[in-house]
Amino acid sequence: MTTHDWKKSSWHSFPAQQQPNWPTGPVFDDTLKSLSQLPPLVFAGECQTLKASLAEAVEGNAFVLQCGDCAEDFSRCTGPDIRELLKVILQMSVVLAFAGEKKVIKIGRIAGQYAKPRSSDTEIVNGLELPSYRGDMVNSPEPNLESRTPDPRRMLEGYYRSAATLNLVRSFTLGGYAALERVQAWHRASLDALPAGQKYEELVRQIWKTINFMSAIGLDPQHVPQLNQVTLYTSHEALLLDYEQALTRMDSISGGWYDTSGHMLWIGDRTRQLEGAHVEFLRGIQNPLGMKIGPKYDIDDIKRIIERLSPDNEPGRLTLITRFGVHKIEEYLPPLLRELSREGYKVVWSCDPMHGNTYQNQYGQKSRNFEVILQEIRSFYQIHKAEGTVPGGVHLELTGDNVTECTGGSRQLMDQHLHLNYQTNCDPRLNAEQGVELAFELADLLHPHL
Ligand code: PEP
Ligand code: CO
């Protein structure tokens, strides 16, 4: 089965889950043609560098911090929104690198996270059956038929917004904003009153001491690239296969195929069928891949998918992102770790503590609780320790905005507070404060001397 030739279009011969009912006709065809002629968003060389870094995480020598929106929103593709998300990622990574003493690989759910799998094709709103909202690259969330009808031109819009986002990310990360000397500028005043804010202030002091020490012994911090630039890689769920195919190009240097829509692509828990179109498409591209695994997995199935997606067992190629929920992780993670390490698969193990812990509150909002999220991460670490395997990172839904979508944290947000600033069109995200708090907790887990 695996032996047939791969083409960027070969997925068309396999059943594809979770695809919108795109209207057929010239608009759809012309959109894909335009997309296939537009410049790549990322380069093959960057994907290879990310893969090499991820190989370090396989061994436990680096930590993967993958985070961003559940679904990016076209209307939130603004300078301040992008800057605020970047700030919280920089803050969290400095906490993890300095307090946790680990190299941090930063990957955003950003610049392309515009399409969502849904449990049902349609939903009933006010007695009306409408197509489900599938992300801004497909349709619009307003509950009327016109907004909900999939519009192929949104793929083009998604491409341009991804390009604009990535352009600003590159300017921020390479143009001085991310220099470690600015560690204080990433700080947000609202954190001051919280324990995490005080810890962050202390960290800033220690970093300044280190930078001053470097200067004192004659090392000029201005000339140490690692202190002045960071790399934020992009990632999204490779869901809309027509879009992904249109962005897939052959790298002229290596001769390999790369999906240039983002550095890392992941396959969702709902689309990872062994004989499905998503596995078929992803097996042929050379980007580093992620795969979500929820509690309904079948171990033999997982093994066959791993062999198909990573036939050479190249470290860094595959990140397995487990999302069991706090009540299920102890049942489902240990057998998976045992069986896959017995097979000798070299994968990064990442913990998504979000998707197994969603609940609906009495006001009809979807939420997640900070302490529960943290508890799943703690269990993830404990289980890896017990099994002698390597916990490699976390996968979070997070925003730089001051939203009230997840309960808990040191502000002790409760369900009745969530209406204050509940913004998400999809899943509830940690806000910036909760993100920094989580990073300090994680740093304790990562610390090599504990
Ligand atoms: C997601 O990451 O937003 C998502 C839909 O996850 P999963 O595939 O794990 O359900
Ligand atoms: Co989500």
Side-chain angles (χ1 to χ4, degrees):
M1 176 61 253
T2 42
T3 51
H4 80 84
D5 285 340
W6 180 90
K7 289 209 280 295
K8 59 181 171 172
S9 60
S10 51
W11 63 269
H12 285 278
S13 320
F14 295 76
Q17 304 296 322
Q18 298 285 344
Q19 301 306 290
N21 294 315
W22 294 119
T24 48
V27 176
F28 183 73
D29 297 343
D30 292 350
T31 301
L32 292 180
K33 184 159 179 239
S34 304
L35 281 170
S36 69
Q37 290 166 346
L38 281 160
L41 292 174
V42 302
F43 289 130
E46 297 171 319
C47 300
Q48 288 157 0
T49 310
L50 172 58
K51 212 191 265 182
S53 293
L54 289 167
E56 294 180 57
V58 173
E59 303 297 334
N61 297 325
F63 179 84
V64 183
L65 177 65
Q66 186 173 18
C67 49
D69 290 310
C70 178
E72 284 177 280
D73 180 334
F74 282 175
S75 71
R76 294 266 170 183
C77 175
T78 70
D81 279 295
I82 297 164
R83 185 194 61 219
E84 291 307 301
L85 177 61
L86 185 69
K87 257 165 66 176
V88 66
I89 295 177
L90 290 173
Q91 273 192 295
M92 289 173 74
S93 66
V94 87
V95 170
L96 292 167
F98 203 83
E101 298 182 29
K102 274 264 158 84
K103 169 177 169 174
V104 180
I105 305 165
K106 295 166 276 298
I107 310 176
R109 289 174 61 115
I110 195 171
Q113 177 51 22
Y114 285 123
K116 298 306 299 172
R118 300 316 298 256
S119 42
S120 168
D121 253 354
T122 59
E123 63 173 340
I124 311 275
V125 190
N126 303 328
L128 200 65
E129 186 173 14
L130 294 171
S132 299
Y133 170 61
R134 288 187 169 274
D136 275 8
M137 204 127 104
V138 176
N139 54 8
S140 178
E142 297 76 41
N144 62 69
L145 189 59
E146 197 191 337
S147 305
R148 290 290 180 89
T149 302
D151 180 349
R153 288 167 302 187
R154 286 180 160 267
M155 286 191 276
L156 207 51
E157 181 76 26
Y159 167 88
Y160 286 121
R161 288 188 191 256
S162 299
T165 303
L166 192 48
N167 181 54
L168 191 62
V169 165
R170 291 194 198 275
S171 305
F172 274 141
T173 52
L174 302 177
Y177 186 80
L180 195 57
E181 285 182 323
R182 299 201 40 143
V183 63
Q184 208 149 13
W186 309 332
H187 186 50
R188 48 201 83 224
S190 67
L191 258 180
D192 283 344
L194 304 179
Q198 284 142 27
K199 286 194 212 166
Y200 193 76
E201 281 297 319
E202 176 53 31
L203 190 85
V204 169
R205 270 194 293 279
Q206 289 182 34
I207 289 172
W208 270 111
K209 263 186 97 163
T210 311
I211 292 175
N212 292 339
F213 171 72
M214 286 174 66
S215 304
I217 61 169
L219 276 171
D220 182 354
Q222 300 290 340
H223 291 111
V224 179
Q226 289 84 344
L227 290 180
N228 294 294
Q229 299 184 341
V230 301
T231 305
L232 175 70
Y233 293 102
T234 63
S235 71
H236 61 266
E237 177 172 351
L239 186 72
L240 299 180
L241 291 174
D242 293 293
Y243 176 81
E244 302 302 341
Q245 177 186 335
L247 270 293
T248 296
R249 315 285 160 82
M250 186 184 277
D251 169 36
S252 55
I253 300 171
S254 65
W257 289 96
Y258 283 83
D259 182 346
T260 66
S261 67
H263 296 112
M264 178 189 188
L265 286 316
W266 79 84
I267 186 165
D269 197 36
R270 279 167 266 202
T271 49
R272 54 167 181 72
Q273 297 76 25
L274 179 65
E275 300 298 344
H278 292 82
V279 169
E280 171 60 17
F281 174 73
L282 288 175
R283 80 180 174 94
I285 57 164
Q286 304 301 311
N287 307 54
L289 303 178
M291 176 160 77
K292 295 285 203 96
I293 304 181
K296 291 192 193 126
Y297 71 81
D298 173 278
I299 191 84
D300 293 321
D301 191 39
I302 296 287
K303 285 198 245 174
R304 285 195 296 260
I305 302 170
I306 293 175
E307 272 156 27
R308 198 157 302 173
L309 292 178
S310 186
D312 303 326
N313 203 13
E314 179 192 6
R317 160 71 166 172
L318 194 56
T319 297
L320 298 182
I321 307 160
T322 58
R323 29 89 86 223
F324 295 128
V326 74
H327 300 300
K328 296 192 176 162
I329 186 167
E330 283 173 20
E331 183 181 348
Y332 291 96
L333 184 58
L336 191 65
L337 295 181
R338 237 167 269 160
E339 193 59 23
L340 300 192
S341 52
R342 203 176 56 77
E343 295 282 352
Y345 297 133
K346 295 192 165 51
V347 296
V348 178
W349 288 102
S350 174
C351 175
D352 168 354
M354 314 298 294
H355 287 88
N357 295 314
T358 315
Y359 68 92
Q360 189 160 36
N361 66 20
Q362 68 266 43
Y363 311 102
Q365 292 153 324
K366 277 206 267 180
S367 188
R368 293 157 172 161
N369 177 265
F370 179 89
E371 282 72 30
V372 169
I373 290 168
L374 184 57
Q375 189 50 48
E376 181 164 352
I377 300 176
R378 290 213 171 104
S379 299
F380 177 81
Y381 270 82
Q382 281 158 4
I383 295 166
H384 273 282
K385 194 163 182 206
E387 297 295 330
T389 45
V390 178
V394 292
H395 182 113
L396 307 171
E397 288 184 343
L398 172 105
T399 172
D401 296 336
N402 195 14
V403 299
T404 51
E405 297 172 4
C406 290
T407 55
S410 49
R411 286 209 192 263
Q412 301 183 346
L413 281 180
M414 310 226 266
D415 286 322
Q416 62 265 36
H417 302 133
L418 299 188
H419 69 94
L420 291 171
N421 196 13
Y422 193 94
Q423 297 281 344
T424 184
N425 288 327
C426 214
D427 289 340
R429 303 157 295 176
L430 294 168
N431 62 28
E433 290 176 4
Q434 290 168 326
V436 177
E437 281 175 33
L438 193 72
F440 277 109
E441 300 289 343
L442 263 168
D444 288 344
L445 290 171
L446 285 186
H447 207 283
H449 311 302
L450 294 178

